[in-house]
Amino acid sequence: MPGAKTFYITTPIYYVNDKPHIGHAYTTLACDVVARFMRLDGRDVMFLTGTDEHGQKVEKSAQAAGMDPQQFCDQVSENFRDLSPLMNYSNDAFIRTTEARHDRASQAIWQAMADNGDIYLDKYAGWYSVRDEAYYAEEELVEGPDGEKQSAFGSPVEWVEEPSYFFRLSQWQDRLLAYYDEEPGRVLPPSRRNEVVSFVKGGLRDLSISRTSFKWGVPVPGDPDHIMYVWVDALTNYLTAVGYPDTDDPAYQKYWPADVHMVGKDILRFHGVYWPAFLMSAGVAPPRRIFAHGWWTVEGQKMSKSLGNFIPPQQIVEKYGVDQARYFMMRELPFGNDGNFSHEAMVNRINSDLANDFGNLAQRVLSMINRNCDGAVPEAGPLDPADQELLTLAHGLLPRMREAMAEQAIHRALEQLWEVVGAANRYVDAQAPWALRKTDPARMATVLYGLAETIRHLAVLAQPVVPEAAGRMLDQLAIPAEARDFSHLGADGALAAGAVLPKPEGVFPRYVEDEAAAAS
Ligand code: MSP
């Protein structure tokens, strides 16, 4: 796409030996929706996801499975790769931190930080959580159910004492604060920005960045007894994927610095504090934005091993449909907040927003055109103020959604879309085109034309969230594949009267409880 502006968005790389659940699926889904929106809006997009494969946790799991760690990672990373076809993600790349090119990038960034005088050898004595792969200060720990110390995320911690290289994080306080101030949307949502700023203002301790008690990781350049702290290597994946340390690499030139690192709130500190400090130290531009989203609970409860309530993404896709699952997760809560996943809420969204509101609108209008206009796009006559109003709303939808998507307020973009769905439904009821058939067929044609044109806008703009269903709607409006991006929106690209339409069919079925299962 010559001259297109670029857009680089990343998900966190997933701990390779975790079993994918809806929390994982959520981060990638949000990136997918933003990436699809940007592509349709003419940007040259790089959307990256992948797996985080080093560290003590993986080494232990491989041992427990009686496997060589690499072989183990090769096997389990497929669980995350398989999410893309399942959830209909459009990622451009999938990175694994056990790729050889990644060792090179991680060692290069380490060396650059060392050359800048930010790394020194000392000894670490403190708390470490293998599950979170994180160091915790005494005052950050809480008391667990049996009085034992644990992290605020409920992970066990152990006391660790070993030689370690340190990063001079304490030296980066002012430059980090300046970085947050440089652009208003550096860390979003604003509540998360406040959290990061106050953490940094509170004073920063130097960070332990190497371990000697295990082997599964990237060796420290010049001192292979030390393995890099897994987060140093993990964060570097975002650079590896665009060719670093080859800063002449066309991908690096085009996409770095990343436009958005999308993360969950639990890993904000790594992305919002450590990562920009590492990058600035290494002389690499820090990312433009870090967006931290909230966490899902399931039927009101935290997802946990002990409760066994992790929902595998496959389960919801099989039960509700992929577009339905995607829509629900993006619409149910303001993006950034925590939310609750429940069967009841899912069914409500499917039956009310998708089936009744959007699906029914398209089905009603397309069936009327099929029956009363010889199955072709009707010709519009002079427009009434009500027609004009609806078309103006539809034509103005893209700029409103763009504004919301520029700050990853995906829920707000969807609210805008459904406002037009609602307006179109009210317009159908008020104009009653079925009654005009006998009394004023020319007026009926004008009304149906305006509705078809509105549905075209809605379907084109719904593609990032419900790609399959929106695609089928556009098929039914006979919109060719090359006319489905946002450059065809607005009055200029309007539907051509006379185009023959295929027979309509519903794209958003109602969810009906399986009665036999419900009765048992
Ligand atoms: N490997 C690290 C990331 C390294 S990035 C350089 C990691 N992996 S993870 O698999 O544990 O988490 C990946 C993402 O899933 C995080 O953004 C996390 O917030 C998200 N979620 C995990 N559980 C979640 C919920 N219950 N709800 C929403 N998202 C959650 O951290």
Side-chain angles (χ1 to χ4, degrees), residues 1 5 33 100 138 151 163 170 188 209 263-264 304 306 342 472-473 488 512:
M1 216 175 284
K5 279 199 265 158
V33 170
E138 184 82 40
S151 80
S170 57
L188 285 179
I209 53 166
V263 299
S304 77
S306 50
S342 79
R472 280 165 55 210
M473 260 184 209
H488 293 85
V512 184

Side-chain angles (χ1 to χ4, degrees), residues 346-465:
M346 173 70 99
V347 172
N348 271 339
R349 287 282 175 199
I350 293 176
N351 287 347
S352 100
D353 301 8
L354 295 179
N356 280 0
D357 296 347
F358 193 10
N360 201 26
L361 168 71
Q363 173 82 355
R364 276 213 280 183
V365 170
L366 290 166
S367 308
M368 277 189 273
I369 293 178
N370 184 54
R371 281 199 308 270
N372 306 321
C373 310
D374 300 326
V377 176
E379 181 110 34
L383 301 184
D384 279 5
D387 312 336
Q388 203 72 63
E389 198 185 323
L390 181 67
L391 286 172
T392 307
L393 257 184
H395 292 158
L397 188 51
L398 171 63
R400 291 196 298 278
M401 286 179 71
R402 222 182 235 150
E403 216 176 282
M405 291 300 277
E407 38 191 75
Q408 292 79 50
I410 303 173
H411 61 288
R412 235 172 56 215
L414 287 174
E415 280 160 21
Q416 303 279 8
L417 200 140
W418 256 260
E419 256 175 43
V420 181
V421 169
N425 273 320
R426 288 191 295 278
Y427 172 88
V428 181
D429 293 341
Q431 301 296 325
W434 53 88
L436 292 168
R437 198 183 139 206
K438 291 241 162 61
T439 56
D440 191 349
R443 177 72 199 138
M444 175 195 71
T446 304
V447 168
L448 290 178
Y449 178 84
L451 283 163
E453 172 64 352
T454 304
I455 293 167
R456 178 177 76 97
H457 278 74
L458 295 171
V460 165
L461 288 161
Q463 290 177 101
V465 180

Side-chain angles (χ1 to χ4, degrees), residues 25-37:
Y26 184 57
T27 317
T28 318
L29 174 59
C31 292
D32 184 61
V33 170
V34 176
R36 284 177 184 268
F37 188 95

Side-chain angles (χ1 to χ4, degrees), residues 11-16 18 21-28 50-53 57 80 97 131-133 230-238 262-268 270-271 275 293-298 302-303 310 338-339:
T11 74
I13 45 172
Y14 296 94
Y15 285 131
V16 70
D18 280 2
H21 58 67
I22 53 167
H24 302 122
Y26 184 57
T27 317
T28 318
T51 39
D52 186 353
E53 307 192 354
K57 194 162 55 169
F80 282 97
T97 53
R131 192 194 290 170
D132 299 349
E133 296 285 14
V230 65
W231 272 97
V232 176
D233 119 49
L235 287 160
T236 306
N237 90 86
Y238 305 130
M262 187 73 78
V263 299
K265 62 179 183 180
D266 53 320
I267 53 174
L268 176 59
F270 298 96
H271 286 82
W275 181 227
H293 66 67
W295 267 40
W296 286 96
T297 50
V298 172
K302 199 176 163 223
M303 279 191 271
F310 285 106
D338 291 338

Side-chain angles (χ1 to χ4, degrees), residues 12-309:
I13 45 172
Y14 296 94
Y15 285 131
V16 70
N17 54 328
D18 280 2
K19 290 259 178 317
H21 58 67
I22 53 167
H24 302 122
Y26 184 57
T27 317
T28 318
L29 174 59
C31 292
D32 184 61
V33 170
V34 176
R36 284 177 184 268
F37 188 95
M38 293 300 173
R39 270 189 218 111
L40 288 165
D41 208 12
R43 302 271 198 119
D44 172 346
V45 172
M46 162 81 167
F47 161 24
L48 175 72
T49 184
T51 39
D52 186 353
E53 307 192 354
H54 287 136
Q56 206 168 352
K57 194 162 55 169
V58 176
E59 192 179 77
K60 282 187 176 171
S61 305
Q63 263 161 12
M67 285 168 91
D68 156 73
Q70 183 65 56
Q71 205 190 355
F72 174 76
C73 290
D74 292 348
Q75 189 176 323
V76 292
S77 78
E78 289 302 315
N79 296 337
F80 282 97
R81 203 185 280 270
D82 289 349
L83 282 186
S84 292
L86 178 78
M87 294 294 299
N88 206 355
Y89 298 145
S90 62
N91 52 296
D92 299 287
F94 187 96
I95 190 166
R96 297 184 50 197
T97 53
T98 51
E99 294 170 44
R101 62 177 178 153
H102 181 66
D103 274 20
R104 187 167 157 252
S106 305
Q107 290 181 332
I109 196 172
W110 179 289
Q111 194 58 55
M113 295 191 288
D115 291 347
N116 198 42
D118 281 322
I119 294 181
Y120 62 91
L121 184 62
D122 201 340
K123 196 176 122 194
Y124 179 76
W127 297 101
Y128 190 77
S129 157
V130 176
R131 192 194 290 170
D132 299 349
E133 296 285 14
Y135 300 95
Y136 290 109
E138 184 82 40
E139 62 272 18
E140 288 178 303
L141 299 176
V142 295
E143 202 168 293
D146 303 321
E148 77 286 11
K149 287 182 190 300
Q150 59 176 35
S151 80
F153 294 98
S155 308
V157 292
E158 59 193 58
W159 185 259
V160 172
E161 278 191 35
E162 59 187 348
S164 172
Y165 283 96
F166 281 77
F167 173 73
R168 285 187 209 284
L169 186 63
S170 57
Q171 303 298 304
W172 288 89
Q173 183 175 15
D174 293 347
R175 280 165 289 186
L176 280 168
L177 292 171
Y179 163 72
Y180 306 134
D181 276 346
E182 244 164 43
E183 274 182 37
R186 201 55 113 185
V187 179
L188 285 179
S191 58
R192 297 291 168 205
R193 178 185 191 279
N194 296 343
E195 190 182 306
V196 166
V197 169
S198 64
F199 175 75
V200 173
K201 280 194 173 150
L204 297 170
R205 285 173 222 235
D206 289 351
L207 184 70
S208 162
I209 53 166
S210 76
R211 309 286 313 272
T212 46
S213 47
F214 66 96
K215 281 281 157 233
W216 187 238
V218 181
V220 166
D223 194 350
D225 287 345
H226 285 255
I227 295 298
M228 282 181 203
Y229 171 39
V230 65
W231 272 97
V232 176
D233 119 49
L235 287 160
T236 306
N237 90 86
Y238 305 130
L239 280 178
T240 309
V242 291
Y244 182 86
D246 298 329
T247 50
D248 290 337
D249 190 299
Y252 185 90
Q253 292 275 324
K254 253 208 299 197
Y255 298 118
W256 196 261
D259 291 274
V260 180
H261 287 319
M262 187 73 78
V263 299
K265 62 179 183 180
D266 53 320
I267 53 174
L268 176 59
R269 190 182 297 177
F270 298 96
H271 286 82
V273 182
Y274 305 161
W275 181 227
F278 293 164
L279 288 167
M280 289 192 273
S281 164
V284 177
R288 298 213 161 95
R289 170 167 303 161
I290 295 115
F291 190 107
H293 66 67
W295 267 40
W296 286 96
T297 50
V298 172
E299 306 287 347
Q301 286 179 311
K302 199 176 163 223
M303 279 191 271
S304 77
K305 276 216 177 85
S306 50
L307 290 171
N309 61 348

